[in-house]
Amino acid sequence: MNSNQPGLFDDLPTSPDEIICGVDEAGRGPLAGPVFAAAVILDPMRPIDGLRDSKKLTEAKRDLLAPLIKAHALAWAIAEASEEEIDKLNILHASLLAMRRAVEALQVQPTLALIDGNRCPVMKIQAIAVVGGDDKVDAISAASILAKTARDAALVTLHAAYPQYCFDQHKGYGTALHLERLRQFGASPVHRRSFAPVRAALTAGPQPSIEE
């Protein structure tokens, strides 16, 4: 699927003069924390082995690849949309906002953005949605890895502020542990109030465990 330009598959209609960035997000599903997005322009002269959808890589592999991407790419940027923006806009539009912010933060101006998924943010440059792009297009794979590692790091930081929720373990996703802590302690300031389990916790209030 990949051509001589990193991250392009053969049937993508582009010209050799295009400056292409790959864009992906991380953190649409969790109940807490911002949604992150990254944009990456790869360097054809400095290929990076092992790029693929971040969800198909181990945490250790992602942590190895992220600094390589930052060192070898022509440009990269990471952006986010806050919990408040998620609740105001909904998670889809907040994700698109984070993607647009990431593209606009690039130090090299791209002419084309390849967006993972089936929706594109409104931007000043052309954008093409690529379903499954995080495992088809190297630049999107790279963006996926940067967005995922940045978000995981942010949730570890949030764990220091709110250790009772164990954000360092589940990264904000609705695991059994997270739901139990949400029930026990109620919602924190970084929980997404528009998400159903958080709304339920807000309605019920903290429910201390029987052991307490």
Side-chain angles (χ1 to χ4, degrees):
M1 295 288 285
N2 292 337
S3 72
N4 290 331
Q5 292 199 44
L8 298 190
F9 45 92
D10 295 336
D11 57 351
L12 186 67
T14 61
S15 77
D17 296 328
E18 294 278 21
I19 301 174
I20 298 169
C21 68
V23 186
D24 200 6
E25 54 74 28
R28 285 182 62 167
L31 307 178
V35 60
F36 277 69
V40 177
I41 302 174
L42 292 176
D43 185 347
M45 305 305 295
R46 305 186 75 187
I48 303 167
D49 292 332
L51 294 177
R52 63 180 312 191
D53 177 4
S54 65
K55 296 184 292 296
K56 296 181 179 180
L57 297 170
T58 64
E59 182 176 359
K61 185 64 173 177
R62 290 193 299 266
D63 288 343
L64 285 173
L65 284 169
L68 288 177
I69 294 166
K70 293 176 180 179
H72 290 190
L74 289 175
W76 61 273
I78 299 170
E80 63 185 82
S82 68
E83 303 89 354
E84 292 83 1
E85 289 171 321
I86 292 168
D87 291 335
K88 179 180 178 180
L89 300 174
N90 76 39
I91 185 58
L92 170 61
H93 288 93
S95 298
L96 295 174
L97 174 61
M99 288 180 174
R100 177 172 63 79
R101 285 171 173 167
V103 173
E104 292 176 347
L106 287 167
Q107 294 299 303
V108 175
Q109 178 66 41
T111 60
L112 173 65
L114 302 181
I115 312 292
D116 182 59
N118 59 9
R119 296 283 296 271
C120 292
V122 176
M123 296 184 293
K124 295 179 180 179
I125 63 170
Q126 181 186 9
I128 298 175
V130 184
V131 175
D134 49 7
D135 218 23
K136 295 177 181 177
V137 179
D138 288 349
I140 299 179
S141 300
S144 171
I145 292 164
L146 291 192
K148 174 63 174 170
T149 53
R151 189 178 190 282
D152 284 356
L155 267 290
V156 171
T157 299
L158 287 180
H159 172 72
Y162 306 100
Q164 66 271 35
Y165 297 100
C166 302
F167 288 138
D168 62 328
Q169 296 184 44
H170 51 68
K171 306 302 190 294
Y173 285 90
T175 64
L177 172 62
H178 189 185
L179 293 174
E180 168 58 26
R181 296 304 174 92
L182 190 59
R183 184 198 67 80
Q184 183 176 351
F185 297 106
S188 75
V190 297
H191 277 95
R192 301 172 179 178
R193 280 149 170 72
S194 56
F195 282 44
V198 181
R199 289 200 307 270
L202 288 167
T203 300
Q207 304 289 316
S209 62
I210 296 174
E211 290 80 0
E212 295 181 354

